Amino acid sequence: MTPSRHKKEPVVTFTDGAQLLVDEGIVDSITGDGLRYIARTRKNWPFGEGRTYPYGQMGNAKTMPLKPFLAYFRKNPPIGRGPSQKTRRSQ
């Protein structure tokens, strides 16, 4: 068997990427849904159809290349509202 000439770059899903951002200390907390929201709303989001890095597919999950993903968030960290600070009403 000959070695593959194609290098497979590591990828992340939205869920894995959220955990990675926490593990790397880029954010205190974020969820996969939080990343999906960023993907829908940020004009400079570099992933997806017609963008610098098209999404890949792994099963039902969209994937993004790891290095550009981390580089993007190191340069553009999420600035969220965080957890709700309102007192919750009992029902």
Side-chain angles (χ1 to χ4, degrees), residues 72-88:
Y72 175 79
F73 279 106
R74 286 187 176 122
K75 186 176 179 183
N76 306 286
I79 302 171
R81 64 175 179 82
S84 174
Q85 301 299 313
K86 291 183 180 180
T87 305
R88 296 179 186 213

Side-chain angles (χ1 to χ4, degrees), residues 9-60:
E9 185 174 346
V11 296
V12 293
T13 64
F14 283 98
T15 303
D16 294 338
Q19 185 60 51
L20 182 62
L21 293 177
V22 173
D23 292 347
E24 291 287 316
I26 296 171
V27 296
D28 291 331
S29 69
I30 193 165
T31 65
D33 285 337
L35 283 183
R36 288 179 194 92
Y37 177 79
I38 289 170
R40 287 191 311 270
T41 59
R42 282 195 180 173
K43 293 182 192 309
N44 69 342
W45 182 249
F47 305 98
E49 286 300 314
R51 306 225 175 177
T52 307
Y53 305 100
Y55 288 124
Q57 195 75 28
M58 187 181 300
N60 290 333

